[in-house]
Amino acid sequence: MEKKRLTEDELIETKNRSSIFTKLYVSVLFIVIICEFIGIKKIAVGPGQIVLLPMLYAVIIGMVITPDLLGKPVKALKALISDEVMDLAGTLVMFALLPLGVKYGTLVGPNIVKVVQAGPAFLLQELGNLGTVFIGLPLALALGLRREAVGATVSICREPTLGVIGERYGINSPEGTGVLGTYMMGTVFGTIFFGLLASFAASTGIHPLALAMASGMGSGSMMTAASSSLAETVPAMKDTILAYAATSNMLTGVTGLYSVVFIALPLSNYLYKKLAPKFDKKGGHVDAN
Amino acid sequence: MLTRTINQSKIMLVIGMMILIGQRIGQIIVDKPVTPIGQAIPGILAVLFVCIISLKIKEMLPNLKFPAFAWATLIALILSMPFMPTAKLFLQYTNNVNFLATTTPILAFAGISVGNKIDQLKKISWKLVIISIAVFIGTYFGSALVAQTILKMQGII
């Protein structure tokens, strides 16, 4: 069953693989056209509004047409989106992100003076990412998880964290199960979740610029979903919001790994030692199911 | 090295084309003036050029764990700072590429790429689903509250 994993160079090689490329490009272009035709939709909900952007439909349509979902009843889709097509899609995400990276740069550049002035806030808000431990760990323990809790809540669990936990505990350990759980959830639902959360967060009274900084979590696509829907909600501050988010995301890219190794993981283990016995006394099940 | 660069360039050109098609449809839908092809094409080429450069820089500095995406942002940032001689021309070109139009293809690729992970996802217990939502909310509002406090202290907001 073990599939041979292709290297990135082999994946992007077009020779003998042109049918895979064609299938993927046709599918993506088809999705892009549909999504842009639907356009931006704004829905008022209570005090706030939810902004639905074309990218949100894109991720949903993309998921739905794969073999596990619509591909099951519709045989033609199964033939279109093969395993090879999905593997290639995963690699091409990285390429597709680059033009967006350039656009973010052109938003930060002209605002560089404003961004530097807000420097202290940019650096310190990175510590706010520890909110995952403070909120997530007690909840995970209360739900009956044990060491899985440490992995699942140490950070938002993007690739660098996956690497750290995998190296330290092994990816098959309880900690590894936890980190994989949050990672998978983020990969599949992260953009949808943050796209909706951020447009609504504007009505909480937290300043849009603070929310913009919070959007930089170390994932290009999640940051994009969060900051673009926030920017659509507060159009007057659009450029500054996008510039702040991109800067914060770049900083997380630099500091994220170190903050997990030196701050979040030790803190998480410390809290675990303090809190776990209390939950054990209540006599919960010690399993992750 | 050369084959790799050619393959990368081909991919970037196709993605660039998708961005322009998406942008045009998006502009027609909301009745915005459409960017003329004669301006959109040099715009996207300027963007794609920076993309290729950032891929090459990443390959040249493999020990520095800085993703190509971050290089792309950093290069474009430097080229567009107000005191840079390149700023005016670079911004004039890249402004022809719509921000949101660059996001739709990414998420279309991303959606398709997670297709084979849905079965794995079903194995994750409901507890981890709830916890991951708490983690998402925790990182977002954790950062937002710290940022809010500091920005207030600095008098920026």
Side-chain angles (χ1 to χ4, degrees):
Chain A
M1 276 300 281
E2 195 65 20
K3 256 191 319 180
K4 186 175 152 282
R5 289 206 67 84
L6 297 174
T7 63
E8 195 186 308
D9 277 337
E10 288 169 324
L11 273 167
I12 65 168
E13 178 57 61
T14 44
K15 204 180 282 171
N16 299 328
R17 288 170 52 83
S18 53
S19 75
I20 303 172
F21 275 88
T22 314
K23 283 178 188 169
L24 179 61
Y25 287 152
V26 168
S27 318
V28 170
L29 186 61
F30 173 74
I31 296 174
V32 167
I33 291 173
I34 293 187
C35 295
E36 294 291 349
F37 260 112
I38 305 174
I40 302 171
K41 298 268 178 263
K42 295 183 181 177
I43 304 165
V45 179
Q49 63 172 347
I50 288 178
V51 177
L52 305 178
L53 298 176
M55 67 169 108
L56 179 75
Y57 325 135
V59 70
I60 294 173
I61 299 176
M63 274 162 59
V64 166
I65 61 171
T66 54
D68 275 356
L69 296 170
L70 255 192
K72 267 191 188 133
V74 186
K75 287 282 164 284
L77 277 178
K78 197 164 190 149
L80 184 67
I81 316 276
S82 61
D83 275 352
E84 283 157 319
V85 170
M86 286 186 275
D87 280 345
L88 182 63
T91 311
L92 294 202
V93 173
M94 193 270 284
F95 289 92
L97 270 165
L98 298 176
L100 176 72
V102 175
K103 282 303 286 179
Y104 270 116
T106 62
L107 291 162
V108 183
N111 293 305
I112 191 74
V113 178
K114 266 195 252 175
V115 168
V116 172
Q117 279 169 350
F122 274 111
L123 289 175
L124 288 167
Q125 60 86 28
E126 293 287 324
L127 292 175
N129 292 331
L130 297 174
T132 59
V133 180
F134 290 116
I135 296 181
L137 192 71
L139 176 73
L141 290 172
L143 284 172
L145 269 73
R146 285 300 167 257
R147 289 300 296 175
E148 291 86 356
V150 172
T153 66
V154 69
S155 81
I156 191 162
C157 300
R158 301 324 300 157
E159 284 79 0
T161 312
L162 212 56
V164 170
I165 298 290
E167 241 169 65
R168 175 100 30 117
Y169 301 100
I171 212 69
N172 294 321
S173 64
E175 292 86 349
T177 308
V179 78
L180 269 178
T182 307
Y183 174 77
M184 289 291 304
M185 285 292 295
T187 306
V188 179
F189 297 116
T191 51
I192 303 175
F193 185 82
F194 281 112
L196 298 176
L197 182 72
S199 62
F200 201 71
S203 59
T204 55
I206 302 176
H207 196 276
L209 291 185
L211 293 172
M213 283 187 182
S215 312
M217 295 163 285
S219 151
S221 51
M222 289 188 208
M223 178 266 287
T224 307
S227 62
S228 340
S229 28
L230 181 66
E232 285 300 323
T233 317
V234 196
M237 303 171 81
K238 189 173 174 184
D239 280 5
T240 325
I241 287 173
L242 296 176
Y244 270 36
T247 308
S248 163
N249 201 58
M250 253 196 320
L251 269 178
T252 310
V254 177
T255 62
L257 181 66
Y258 302 99
S259 100
V260 168
V261 174
F262 294 111
I263 306 175
L265 197 51
L267 172 75
S268 187
N269 276 318
Y270 173 81
L271 273 182
Y272 180 83
K273 240 183 255 162
K274 291 274 162 206
L275 292 176
K278 294 199 176 109
F279 285 102
D280 275 341
K281 269 180 209 146
K282 286 180 191 162
H285 277 294
V286 188
D287 69 344
N289 303 310
Chain B
M1 176 74 183
L2 184 66
T3 359
R4 185 194 283 166
T5 311
I6 293 172
N7 284 335
Q8 288 169 337
S9 308
K10 280 194 252 178
I11 293 170
M12 291 314 304
L13 278 174
V14 176
I15 292 170
M17 209 177 64
M18 289 177 179
I19 292 172
L20 290 191
I21 295 174
Q23 163 168 328
R24 173 142 297 224
I25 298 172
Q27 285 168 336
I28 293 169
I29 289 296
V30 292
D31 277 332
K32 264 192 200 158
V34 291
T35 315
I37 305 262
Q39 285 175 23
I41 288 178
I44 198 79
L45 288 178
V47 171
L48 295 183
F49 181 70
V50 178
C51 299
I52 301 284
I53 300 291
S54 52
L55 281 169
K56 294 298 119 187
I57 295 182
K58 191 200 156 207
E59 280 163 24
M60 277 185 271
L61 303 166
N63 293 326
L64 207 66
K65 300 255 177 265
F66 208 52
F69 176 71
W71 280 117
T73 308
L74 196 61
I75 297 169
L77 188 165
I78 293 170
L79 289 176
S80 60
M81 287 192 295
F83 39 84
M84 289 293 284
T86 47
K88 193 167 169 270
L89 200 64
F90 185 64
L91 286 173
Q92 189 191 319
Y93 278 120
T94 54
N95 277 343
N96 294 323
V97 179
N98 177 267
F99 174 84
L100 275 181
T102 63
T103 64
T104 318
I106 305 170
L107 275 295
F109 282 113
I112 292 176
S113 75
V114 298
N116 52 6
K117 300 199 177 78
I118 292 169
D119 270 343
Q120 286 176 43
L121 195 72
K122 284 181 192 151
K123 290 186 199 135
I124 297 176
S125 85
W126 61 272
K127 287 177 184 174
L128 278 172
V129 174
I130 296 177
I131 292 160
S132 63
I133 293 172
V135 164
F136 296 159
I137 293 176
T139 188
Y140 188 71
F141 285 107
S143 295
L145 291 175
V146 176
Q148 170 94 352
T149 314
I150 310 289
L151 286 171
K152 268 237 165 79
M153 276 162 55
Q154 285 186 280
I156 292 177
I157 55 173

